[in-house]
Amino acid sequence: MVFDPEKTKKAYNIPDEYVPVAFLMLGYPAEDAEPSPRHAERLSLEETVFYGEF
């Protein structure tokens, strides 16, 4: 996680029974916005997808 769920819960008054797991940014980019230089870089599925018995 790239954010602290407990700080997020406190900042946004999220009840204890909920755990924030992600942010979804909404809006429009600035007119002069450009993609990050790493925008097109991707990891392989083998590096990002994990499954197995629990």
Side-chain angles (χ1 to χ4, degrees):
M1 245 180 254
V2 295
F3 65 93
D4 184 330
E6 292 305 316
K7 287 182 181 178
T8 302
K9 286 168 62 170
K10 187 174 182 177
Y12 293 98
N13 297 316
I14 298 172
D16 286 337
E17 61 268 19
Y18 294 101
V19 178
V21 295
F23 284 109
L24 175 61
M25 303 299 171
L26 301 174
Y28 297 95
E31 288 185 25
D32 62 343
E34 294 182 12
S36 162
R38 297 182 64 193
H39 178 75
E41 292 181 20
R42 299 288 185 258
L43 296 174
S44 69
L45 285 177
E46 291 78 18
E47 294 176 280
T48 59
V49 177
F50 304 94
Y51 58 92
E53 295 182 26
F54 294 95

